[in-house]
């Protein structure tokens, strides 16, 4: 949820740190700061708000130094202001931190008794005083080991020391941390994206490990202090993936590139010559799996909900779903013949990672569906299914959602055919339809003008509802989430059939209600539910698929028709207008579309 960077070099580092902080802003942006070592002193500059503010402050007070650390914050403890911004420093130590120190109150009491003075309301500041206290009686390495033992909770740390002017210490537990290798300089960063403008040579720390980074050497240690070797990965970096190009926002670009990302993903998994889905090295035999548990958060959870319907339609596997933050504390009945599938765009979501860790500790079969293949969740799963969407920078997930659904659908078709649950003729037919999906999405993207016109009604309304049944229900939830995230208004996704059990009371004259009613098995029922809300004054935006027979209903405020395709694939098409509705509503309000308030792209804290 925060971003950290550290650089040790033979040349001044401040501007390189600022550049990396700009790339890290998608992880959190309510305050920022930088600290460097120069002339034997720690120099620290911090600011509330965006990195631009920090840069303005640096114009007034330039800080030199060839070693430094930087941080962008998403507040967990302490309001977002300059005092609580990182780095947190004493005379001799400066720290940047991503995560939550769960025993900070206890440690703070102990350190105050030792005479330490605290300036901020943050949990992080205890790290500064704890390592300072330990260094009084221990050398650097032992101080680090003792500190790591005393800290409870999650952290990715970057620490510089007045008396160690050539090194940065990094440590990881539960929050991602990477080391980058450059010419006469080396780096520490939350992820490869923060380092990509300086290097594509990366090593990743695992939980419990720490490192000592100097400009010409890096040493890694395990939690007992033994030196360990780390693989150096050379990551391919496609510059244009990280730029907006002609688009005003990353989200706009990522919505528009969905036909391409779907096509790329289909190419990765479908052998077009033989019309066969290839999922290489799937580690388990049919008889080893009799049920599936799908786990994720937010949009990723909605893709799990969607997959549940497909699993039930296309296989005989038992399937359950859970929100990761619930699963990790539930009294789970772990079953040997269950496959636990973790869906996560970033692969770093703390709750999802914790749920995976729990399954690993119980020796369960684990698979992950991720967009970032070098992420923690991917690294710690038995099997990984990448969604091949390219970097998704907009905080509101769009192309990754369609990518998650696509890979889940491919997996389900594959399991269906190898288990004999799906007839070959249906399997082949569905693959043929699937190959047309990018074109259908492309055509659906053209329903732009109507969406722009209806968005004004959603802006003015004090709230809205998104209704759907069956396959459309998870999409209704996703559409509501997009509008909440971007327009900062109440928007509720609900099963259409449930409205009469209470929420119908919410409907009042002029309230915008999106009804997802493609011509599928649920169509007639959903149209009846739609009539119930129209009868109570709702302004219904009906999203359905093209058909010759007209909708059996009057008084519909607006109608959008998406392309007609195989019923399984309609959820992909229904999603597109909802992404655009959220985008254009926020655009009209002038809100920050790529970095909505209070949010962050990768939620790496509980
Ligand atoms: C989606 O628009 C949100 N940004 C959020 O719900 C996100 O899907 C969730 O935090 C999970 O992230 P992940 O896919 O990276 O695990």
């Amino acid at each position: 949820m925060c971003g950290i960077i550290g650089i040790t070099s033979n040349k001044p580092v401040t501007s390189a740190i600022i550049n990396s902080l700009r790339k890290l802003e998608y992880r959190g942006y309510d305050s920022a700061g930088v600290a460097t070592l120069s002339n034997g002193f720690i120099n620290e500059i911090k600011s509330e708000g965006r990195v631009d503010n920090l840069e303005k402050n640096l114009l007034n007070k330039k800080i030199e130094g060839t070693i430094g650390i930087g941080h962008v914050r998403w507040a967990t403890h302490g309001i977002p202001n300059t005092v609580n911004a990182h780095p947190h420093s004493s005379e001799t130590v400066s720290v940047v931190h991503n995560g939550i120190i769960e025993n900070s109150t206890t440690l703070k009491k102990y350190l105050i008794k030792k005479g330490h003075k605290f300036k901020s309301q943050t949990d992080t500041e205890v790290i500064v005083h704890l390592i300072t206290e330990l260094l009084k009686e221990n050398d650097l390495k032992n101080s680090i080991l003792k500190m790591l033992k005393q800290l409870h909770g999650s952290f990715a740390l970057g620490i510089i020391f007045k008396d160690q002017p050539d090194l940065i210490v990094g440590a990881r537990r539960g929050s991602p941390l990477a080391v980058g290798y450059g010419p006469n300089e080396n780096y520490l960063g939350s992820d490869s994206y923060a380092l990509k403008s300086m290097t594509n040579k990366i090593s990743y720390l695992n939980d419990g490990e720490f490192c000592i980074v100097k400009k010409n050497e890096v040493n890694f240690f395990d939690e007992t202090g033994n030196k360990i070797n780390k693989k150096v990965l050379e990551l391919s970096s496609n510059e244009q993936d990280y730029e907006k190009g002609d688009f005003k926002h990353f989200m706009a670009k990522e919505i528009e590139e969905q036909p391409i990302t779907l096509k790329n993903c289909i190419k990765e998994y479908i052998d077009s010559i033989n019309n066969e889905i290839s999922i290489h090295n799937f580690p388990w035999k049919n008889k080893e799996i009799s049920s599936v548990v799908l786990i994720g958060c937010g949009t990723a959870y909605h893709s799990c909900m969607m997959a549940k319907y497909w699993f039930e339609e296309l296989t005989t596997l038992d399937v359950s779903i859970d929100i990761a933050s619930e699963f990790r504390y539930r009294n789970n009945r772990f079953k040997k013949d269950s496959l636990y599938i973790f869906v996560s765009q970033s692969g770093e979501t703390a709750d999802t990672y914790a749920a995976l860790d729990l399954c690993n500790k119980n020796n369960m079969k684990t698979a992950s569906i991720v967009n970032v293949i070098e992420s923690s969740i991917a690294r710690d799963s038995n099997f990984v299914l990448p969604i091949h969407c390219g970097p998704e920078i907009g905080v509101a997930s769009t192309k990754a959602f369609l990518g998650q659904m696509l890979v889940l659908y491919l997996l389900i078709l594959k399991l269906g055919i190898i288990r004999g649950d799906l007839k070959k003729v249906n399997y082949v037919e569905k693959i043929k339809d699937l190959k047309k999906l990018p074109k259908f999405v492309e055509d659906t993207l053209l329903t732009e003008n109507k969406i722009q016109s209806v968005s004004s009604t959603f802006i003015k309304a004090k709230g809205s509802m998104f209704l759907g049944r069956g396959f459309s229900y998870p999409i209704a939830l996703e559409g509501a989430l997009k509008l909440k995230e971007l327009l900062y208004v109440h928007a509720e996704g609900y099963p259409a059939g449930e409205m009469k059990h209470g929420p119908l009371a919410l409907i009042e004259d002029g309230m915008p209600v999106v009804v997802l009613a493609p011509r599928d098995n649920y169509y007639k029922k959903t149209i009846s539910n739609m009539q119930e809300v129209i009868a109570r004054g709702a302004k219904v935006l009906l999203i359905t698929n093209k058909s010759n027979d007209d909708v059996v209903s009057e008084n519909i405020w607006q109608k959008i028709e998406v392309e007609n395709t195989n019923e399984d694939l309609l959820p992909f098409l229904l999603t597109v207008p909802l992404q655009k509705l959220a985008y254009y509503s926020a655009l009209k309000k002038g809100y920050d579309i790529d970095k909505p308030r209070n949010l962050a792209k990768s939620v790496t804290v509980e």
Side-chain angles (χ1 to χ4, degrees):
M1 201 81 109
C2 301
I4 66 177
I5 179 74
I7 304 177
T8 169
S9 176
N10 61 358
K11 56 184 190 292
V13 295
T14 305
S15 53
I17 287 175
I18 294 294
N19 290 339
S20 288
L21 289 180
R22 284 194 199 291
K23 293 206 175 307
L24 279 165
E25 270 196 312
Y26 77 96
R27 300 176 67 88
Y29 33 86
D30 59 36
S31 56
V34 58
T36 63
L37 268 184
S38 67
N39 311 321
F41 291 98
I42 289 176
N43 312 286
E44 179 194 274
I45 295 267
K46 306 195 283 191
S47 68
E48 203 172 317
R50 295 295 170 79
V51 173
D52 287 346
N53 298 345
L54 178 63
E55 197 158 39
K56 282 190 198 112
N57 289 354
L58 281 164
L59 292 176
N60 304 330
K61 186 194 170 200
K62 208 161 170 43
I63 56 172
E64 300 298 339
T66 60
I67 182 166
I69 51 178
H71 185 273
V72 285
R73 184 170 182 243
W74 183 87
T76 54
H77 291 65
I79 56 171
N81 62 15
T82 307
V83 170
N84 290 331
H86 301 207
H88 290 283
S89 311
S90 65
E91 283 286 301
T92 55
V93 172
S94 188
V95 175
V96 286
H97 166 224
N98 175 27
I100 293 182
I101 304 301
E102 293 176 351
N103 60 333
S104 60
T105 307
T106 313
L107 286 172
K108 189 167 183 174
K109 284 190 188 122
Y110 157 73
L111 291 162
I112 287 171
K113 279 205 189 96
K114 287 276 184 181
H116 292 267
K117 301 269 179 287
F118 283 76
K119 294 177 261 185
S120 77
Q121 306 157 300
T122 65
D123 54 333
T124 303
E125 198 180 350
V126 298
I127 302 169
V128 175
H129 300 293
L130 178 61
I131 190 81
T132 303
E133 188 61 27
L134 290 165
L135 281 167
K136 288 176 186 170
E137 291 166 15
N138 301 278
D139 65 18
L140 177 66
K141 196 170 143 193
N142 282 312
S143 300
I144 296 166
L145 285 167
K146 289 175 187 291
M147 171 189 74
L148 297 178
K149 283 197 175 63
Q150 292 185 50
L151 294 178
H152 301 164
S154 63
F155 48 77
L157 299 178
I159 312 176
I160 56 176
F161 304 83
K162 179 182 172 210
D163 305 333
Q164 309 271 352
D166 64 340
L167 62 85
I168 303 173
V169 165
R172 180 215 151 127
R173 185 195 299 157
S175 292
L177 191 62
V179 165
Y181 305 90
N184 296 316
E185 58 185 27
N186 288 315
Y187 322 101
L188 198 61
S190 291
D191 55 28
S192 58
Y193 181 51
L195 306 175
K196 63 174 289 304
S197 56
M198 300 179 286
T199 182
N200 68 339
K201 293 180 179 60
I202 303 283
S203 298
Y204 288 95
L205 278 83
N206 294 320
D207 278 353
E209 295 175 352
F210 67 93
C211 59
I212 297 178
V213 181
K214 296 183 178 177
K215 64 184 174 191
N216 294 315
E217 68 166 317
V218 181
N219 289 303
F220 296 92
F221 304 88
D222 66 17
E223 54 201 356
T224 62
N226 292 328
K227 227 183 220 185
I228 51 176
N229 293 319
K230 296 297 272 183
K231 259 193 306 194
V232 179
L233 307 171
E234 294 221 7
L235 304 181
S236 65
S237 67
N238 187 333
E239 281 304 319
Q240 72 200 31
D241 282 344
Y242 293 94
E243 303 308 331
K244 280 189 286 214
D246 300 339
F247 292 93
K248 200 170 162 56
H249 301 101
F250 278 109
M251 184 181 177
K253 174 179 173 242
E254 288 149 11
I255 290 172
E256 293 303 323
E257 65 186 3
Q258 291 179 115
I260 301 164
T261 52
L262 291 170
K263 197 178 292 177
N264 292 344
C265 189
I266 286 167
K267 261 193 277 184
E268 291 287 337
Y269 286 99
I270 292 183
D271 162 359
S272 256
I273 307 335
N274 307 311
N275 260 337
E276 184 55 74
I277 295 171
S278 321
I279 295 183
H280 299 298
N281 309 323
F282 190 73
W284 302 290
K285 295 188 178 54
N286 287 349
K287 62 181 183 318
E288 294 181 82
I289 300 173
S290 68
S291 62
V292 169
V293 183
L294 297 149
I295 296 161
C297 297
T299 290
Y301 175 67
H302 296 154
S303 67
C304 297
M305 288 180 75
M306 190 65 246
K308 178 174 165 67
Y309 286 98
W310 285 325
F311 265 114
E312 290 163 347
E313 287 297 312
L314 303 169
T315 76
T316 55
L317 285 162
D318 293 335
V319 55
S320 62
I321 56 177
D322 212 342
I323 291 170
S325 54
E326 290 297 310
F327 178 86
R328 65 183 289 191
Y329 295 113
R330 199 186 290 281
N331 183 15
N332 292 300
R333 278 47 168 179
F334 289 106
K335 296 191 205 104
K336 279 275 166 266
D337 59 356
S338 283
L339 170 60
Y340 292 80
I341 300 177
F342 299 87
V343 183
S344 173
Q345 187 285 130
S346 63
E348 298 298 351
T349 297
D351 287 320
T352 311
Y353 184 76
L356 167 64
D357 191 42
L358 184 63
C359 290
N360 284 338
K361 287 193 169 83
N362 284 277
N363 302 315
M364 292 293 112
K365 299 176 185 71
T366 59
S368 59
I369 293 177
V370 299
N371 195 27
V372 182
I373 52 174
E374 69 267 13
S375 61
S376 307
I377 288 171
R379 288 208 309 276
D380 290 355
S381 305
N382 301 136
F383 187 62
V384 184
L385 289 148
I387 65 173
H388 301 291
C389 279
E392 184 178 70
I393 309 302
V395 165
S397 191
T398 49
K399 64 176 182 177
F401 178 56
L402 264 56
Q404 288 159 358
M405 288 203 291
L406 172 58
V407 172
L408 282 160
Y409 185 65
L410 287 160
L411 175 64
I412 290 161
L413 289 179
K414 188 68 182 177
L415 289 174
I417 193 72
I418 61 176
R419 296 170 50 85
D421 297 334
L422 191 56
K423 289 195 185 73
K424 181 76 176 171
V425 60
N426 295 340
Y427 173 71
V428 172
E429 196 56 36
K430 288 177 184 296
I431 289 175
K432 283 191 181 135
D433 289 338
L434 193 50
K435 284 156 62 175
K436 296 177 209 154
L437 179 63
K439 179 69 176 71
F440 286 138
V441 171
E442 199 168 350
D443 296 342
T444 304
L445 281 165
L446 299 175
T447 58
E448 170 150 321
N449 42 12
K450 188 152 297 168
I451 279 290
Q452 287 201 50
S453 62
V454 302
S455 59
S456 315
T457 301
F458 286 84
I459 290 170
K460 288 192 289 251
K462 67 179 185 184
S464 58
M465 294 205 77
F466 291 67
L467 308 181
R469 275 179 181 258
F471 286 12
S472 300
Y473 170 37
I475 308 306
L477 295 181
E478 176 58 14
L481 176 62
K482 290 280 107 38
L483 199 66
K484 278 189 270 249
E485 282 191 284
L486 290 156
L487 192 58
Y488 312 156
V489 293
H490 289 291
E492 187 158 12
Y494 222 80
E498 268 294 285
M499 284 298 285
K500 51 189 174 291
H501 301 290
L504 206 54
L506 284 171
I507 303 298
E508 52 192 37
D509 201 38
M511 179 181 192
V513 174
V514 176
V515 174
L516 302 174
R519 265 83 167 189
D520 58 13
N521 297 336
Y522 311 90
Y523 174 66
K524 289 201 167 52
K525 299 287 179 207
T526 311
I527 292 296
S528 308
N529 298 142
M530 182 181 76
Q531 283 303 356
E532 290 159 8
V533 296
I534 289 177
R536 287 156 180 84
K539 289 179 82 167
V540 163
L541 166 61
L542 171 65
I543 303 182
T544 183
N545 54 321
K546 287 176 181 163
S547 163
N548 297 326
D549 60 291
D550 202 3
V551 175
V552 185
S553 174
E554 50 282 338
N555 305 326
I556 296 170
W557 168 48
Q558 292 282 356
K559 182 173 75 169
I560 287 175
E561 290 182 321
V562 300
E563 296 305 310
N564 204 11
T565 177
N566 165 336
E567 209 170 280
D568 294 350
L569 304 180
L570 285 171
F572 292 87
L573 306 186
L574 296 173
T575 302
V576 171
L578 304 182
Q579 295 170 338
K580 286 186 167 266
L581 174 62
Y583 176 79
Y584 283 110
S585 302
L587 188 65
K588 279 188 182 157
K589 287 293 281 184
Y591 289 163
D592 190 327
I593 287 171
D594 286 333
K595 300 189 184 78
R597 72 181 183 191
N598 304 343
L599 301 181
K601 182 63 182 172
S602 178
V603 184
T604 57
V605 290
E606 275 207 61

